[in-house]
Amino acid sequence: MEVYLKAQNQILADLRARVRDNNSERWTDAEMYGAINDALLSWQDRVRIPHIYTISGGWVSGTLEYTLPDWIRSNAIQPQMKSPTQFDSLSSAYRLSTNTWQDIPGWRIEPNATNGRVLKFNVSPYSTEGRIIWWGSSMPLPTSTLTISDNLLDTTGEIEIVSIGECPEYGWVKVENEWMQYAGVTRNSSSGTLDNVVRGLSQGAVAYAHNIDTPIYFGVAMPKNELYRVLIDQSIVHLNELFLGNASSKEKQTHQELIGFYEGRVKEFWRNWSDTKVVKTQVDISAWINL
């Protein structure tokens, strides 16, 4: 599965160009982002994107239970393990590369005593690196541009940012020319961190250092590029709906005609849409990215 990414500043610029409002004469940035987020909310049960959640410390031999974060959808996951070094003692006919990710069979998800969820294995995996491939919907975007609040080294696995309250629990971000994926947010009173960051998902799968106060743009991930046109069309519908309340009769007619036109295009697309998820067990996540 390829993943197509669009940063929030690019989506905003493209939407303004489509509605010919480059100077913000009709809609503010917050209204634009509100329309985009309304469109994304309608994708929740239609569009899912693969994410990686790294198991801190890896799988541990003899441990059968692992607590899952609340934001992982338990109905669409696949636990995986790196081929452990124990296999190196086998003959070459049976030995697996230690760089190979393998699906782990025999597991289930159950509630725990605190209303959370626990991943339980029937047989414990070997002690080795572990991760979960899971599928989640695109989350709403912040309604303004945020910045990183500390220098970001090329080896750092978390991102410190300001105004953490607007950040979704998981997603994609772009800092300068580097795309990253994150899963989990540590929230303080105002600032916080994006956790479990997968670095270098663009620019040749290389991570770069970024200076404090550099803008961080949240992104929308799509399994098919034509979804971007649908996102813009749906956003235009919501923008025109803003004018129906206090508009004159002539203006209402114009906005209703625009709503009808773009709604028709959107409905036609969803009638033919199918959401297919594919587990990539042998390919690094950077191979999914298509900018």
Side-chain angles (χ1 to χ4, degrees):
M1 173 186 282
E2 291 183 305
V3 175
Y4 297 86
L5 295 169
K6 295 290 184 180
Q8 65 180 102
N9 58 328
Q10 182 179 358
I11 300 172
L12 181 66
D14 290 347
L15 180 56
R16 285 204 176 280
R18 280 282 299 276
V19 297
R20 299 183 180 182
D21 188 35
N22 291 316
N23 297 320
S24 304
E25 295 176 353
R26 306 198 74 177
W27 293 284
T28 65
D29 283 357
E31 288 174 330
M32 285 277 186
Y33 281 127
I36 294 167
N37 288 337
D38 284 343
L40 289 174
L41 287 173
S42 72
W43 291 17
Q44 295 301 297
D45 295 321
R46 290 170 165 166
V47 181
R48 294 179 294 176
I49 297 295
H51 297 258
I52 288 179
Y53 175 67
T54 301
I55 305 300
S56 179
W59 307 118
V60 178
S61 180
T63 301
L64 295 174
E65 298 184 7
Y66 297 82
T67 301
L68 294 178
D70 292 338
W71 33 264
I72 287 185
R73 291 181 57 169
S74 58
N75 61 341
I77 74 170
Q78 177 57 61
Q80 294 186 329
M81 62 185 291
K82 271 284 186 71
S83 295
T85 55
Q86 290 94 326
F87 289 166
D88 290 345
S89 61
L90 300 177
S91 67
S92 59
Y94 298 98
R95 186 167 59 240
L96 296 171
S97 167
T98 55
N99 291 321
T100 300
W101 285 101
Q102 298 292 319
D103 291 350
I104 303 176
W107 54 269
R108 63 192 184 279
I109 294 175
E110 296 181 357
N112 61 17
T114 58
N115 294 322
R117 292 166 300 162
V118 174
L119 173 67
K120 291 187 176 183
F121 291 107
N122 297 337
V123 178
S124 170
Y126 289 96
S127 293
T128 184
E129 292 180 58
R131 72 182 186 181
I132 294 175
I133 303 294
W134 61 283
W135 284 262
S137 303
S138 291
M139 300 290 281
L141 301 169
T143 57
S144 61
T145 300
L146 306 181
T147 59
I148 60 176
S149 57
D150 196 6
N151 292 331
L152 182 61
L153 303 179
D154 57 0
T155 56
T156 304
E158 61 182 27
I159 307 173
E160 297 184 22
I161 63 174
V162 297
S163 301
I164 198 71
E166 286 195 289
C167 297
E169 290 296 328
Y170 61 86
W172 304 77
V173 292
K174 186 179 184 183
V175 182
E176 295 180 298
N177 289 322
E178 182 185 353
W179 275 103
M180 314 171 205
Q181 188 185 82
Y182 72 95
V185 177
T186 300
R187 301 179 187 273
N188 300 319
S189 57
S190 58
S191 62
T193 60
L194 307 181
D195 302 321
N196 296 298
V197 178
V198 181
R199 300 290 304 274
L201 299 182
S202 57
Q203 295 290 312
V206 174
Y208 294 88
H210 308 280
N211 294 327
I212 187 173
D213 295 329
T214 301
I216 178 170
Y217 297 105
F218 287 71
V220 174
M222 297 160 283
K224 293 184 179 180
N225 201 32
E226 55 263 39
L227 274 164
Y228 189 54
R229 177 184 65 80
V230 178
L231 176 62
I232 297 297
D233 285 352
Q234 287 184 281
S235 301
I236 292 174
V237 169
H238 295 305
L239 288 175
N240 280 280
E241 288 174 342
L242 293 175
F243 283 92
L244 292 181
N246 299 318
S248 65
S249 298
K250 184 176 180 180
E251 287 178 325
K252 282 185 178 180
Q253 180 178 351
T254 299
H255 291 300
Q256 286 170 339
E257 289 175 353
L258 289 170
I259 290 170
F261 172 76
Y262 286 106
E263 277 187 338
R265 295 199 342 167
V266 170
K267 290 178 180 178
E268 178 64 25
F269 175 85
W270 290 125
R271 276 195 291 268
N272 299 306
W273 171 253
S274 62
D275 179 20
T276 303
K277 60 180 174 62
V278 179
V279 179
K280 288 287 189 179
T281 59
Q282 308 296 332
V283 181
D284 187 80
I285 192 172
S286 60
W288 302 345
I289 307 304
N290 193 322
L291 303 177

